[in-house]
Amino acid sequence: MGRRLVPLTLDNLKDLPQPCRSCVFWELDPVTGEAAVKAGTPELEKEAWISAVLLEWGSCGRVVYVDEVPVGFVLYAPPAYVPRSLAFPTSPVASDAVQLITARILPGYQGQGLGRVMVQTVAKDLLRRGFRAIEAFGDARWEGPACVLPADHLLSVGFKTVRPHPAHPRLRLELRSTLSWKEDVEMALDRLLGAVQKEPALRPL
């Protein structure tokens, strides 16, 4: 399979799966988000949010392609760009961290290591940009695809709980905790993502 992780832009925003393409759960505060849904403008609001973050902060997501078919995505940004995060009981996200907002891999492509590769890709991007950590709100009672990521999955890819909660714990992945961790990430990404750029086909992860 040929795998690519491409920065999210306005050009490939259309490749996000529905309902994620028109979801503004994280991008707007609860009141504004509800108003956008009632007005029938959530897709426009999503596009405006992506545009603003790209202009003011830079890359805020990746789209995953397998054999040129979009099969998943990940979104991340500083908490100042994520109004909904303030509504969570375990907020706020630490000032030295970027928030892993949400991510999704389509059924049929799950269990192939793509989720871990997405987190590693975000980690590498943020390390290069000088950030210390990624934080995320987890869903401890996750039962299916939703805007909030399953806490168990976050723990499985290296996150640690920094503020427990029965429903929505806040978790953190330290990016500079040890030099060896960084080197491990760099080596793994060189193998995984570097090979994607050079070879059209890869063995499953």
Side-chain angles (χ1 to χ4, degrees):
M1 290 187 297
R3 303 180 180 187
R4 294 190 300 133
L5 283 85
V6 178
L8 176 64
T9 66
L10 295 178
D11 292 332
N12 61 12
L13 180 57
K14 65 183 185 302
D15 289 340
L16 267 59
Q18 289 290 11
C20 306
R21 169 67 182 86
S22 56
C23 177
V24 288
F25 176 86
W26 289 106
E27 293 83 354
L28 302 176
D29 65 78
V31 174
T32 307
E34 184 177 349
V37 171
K38 287 183 177 179
T41 60
E43 287 198 19
L44 293 176
E45 294 288 351
K46 184 93 165 191
E47 185 173 325
W49 184 87
I50 295 290
S51 178
V53 178
L54 285 170
L55 287 171
E56 297 172 12
W57 184 66
S59 179
C60 60
R62 293 289 188 277
V63 182
V64 184
Y65 297 88
V66 174
D67 295 333
E68 303 307 317
V69 176
V71 302
F73 75 98
V74 58
L75 277 179
Y76 53 97
Y81 291 98
V82 193
R84 174 72 68 156
S85 65
L86 295 176
F88 279 72
T90 49
S91 67
V93 170
S95 60
D96 64 348
V98 168
Q99 183 179 341
L100 178 63
I101 301 172
T102 192
R104 188 177 180 190
I105 297 292
L106 294 181
Y109 295 91
Q110 298 169 3
Q112 300 178 20
L114 291 174
R116 181 177 293 273
V117 173
M118 285 199 303
V119 172
Q120 290 175 326
T121 304
V122 175
K124 185 173 184 180
D125 178 35
L126 297 179
L127 275 169
R128 287 173 171 169
R129 293 160 78 171
F131 289 94
R132 295 182 57 187
I134 307 170
E135 291 196 1
F137 297 100
D139 184 350
R141 302 168 180 172
W142 192 86
E143 296 181 349
C147 300
V148 185
L149 296 170
D152 286 348
H153 175 71
L154 292 168
L155 291 169
S156 74
V157 296
F159 282 77
K160 305 295 183 186
T161 302
V162 290
R163 191 166 177 194
H165 188 270
H168 295 300
R170 179 160 51 88
L171 302 102
R172 182 177 174 97
L173 179 65
E174 297 287 347
L175 299 180
R176 296 186 182 278
S177 56
T178 65
L179 181 61
S180 62
W181 188 93
K182 179 182 176 182
E183 290 174 345
D184 288 344
V185 172
E186 293 285 351
M187 288 176 61
L189 285 161
D190 285 343
R191 290 196 304 270
L192 295 170
L193 303 181
V196 170
Q197 298 170 4
K198 299 174 184 176
E199 301 175 9
L202 292 175
R203 295 189 302 274
L205 299 177

